[in-house]
Amino acid sequence: LHGQLWWLREYDIDLGPPLRACEADRYGPGTFCRQFTQGLVIVNPTDKDVAVSVAATLIDVTTAASGTDFVVPARDARFLVGPGAQ
């Protein structure tokens, strides 16, 4: 319906300032990521899911899963937040 207002959890995240420029292919061919002081954003525009491992325990804002291993579905993105995001 065009009259509905959609509000996603990702809209309310404060990632802080970026630590560096966007990186291509870090988590697989065709992927993009950018690190921020309070989180990590991973974009997967490819046709295949991408497995991601990080050094610190983070929380996936979309699924509320916490850990060091995540899956970014094909044609999707994930916001991973937490104190160890750097």
Side-chain angles (χ1 to χ4, degrees), residues 6-55:
W6 293 88
W7 195 262
L8 304 173
R9 284 177 274 222
E10 292 85 348
Y11 297 162
D12 293 322
I13 296 172
D14 179 8
L15 293 170
L19 295 174
R20 58 185 61 88
C22 177
E23 296 178 60
D25 304 324
R26 180 172 180 176
Y27 294 105
T31 63
F32 300 92
C33 71
R34 190 162 192 189
Q35 291 183 325
F36 297 82
T37 57
Q38 300 299 317
L40 171 67
V41 177
I42 303 167
V43 179
N44 178 16
T46 71
D47 292 334
K48 296 184 180 183
D49 293 354
V50 173
V52 172
S53 292
V54 294

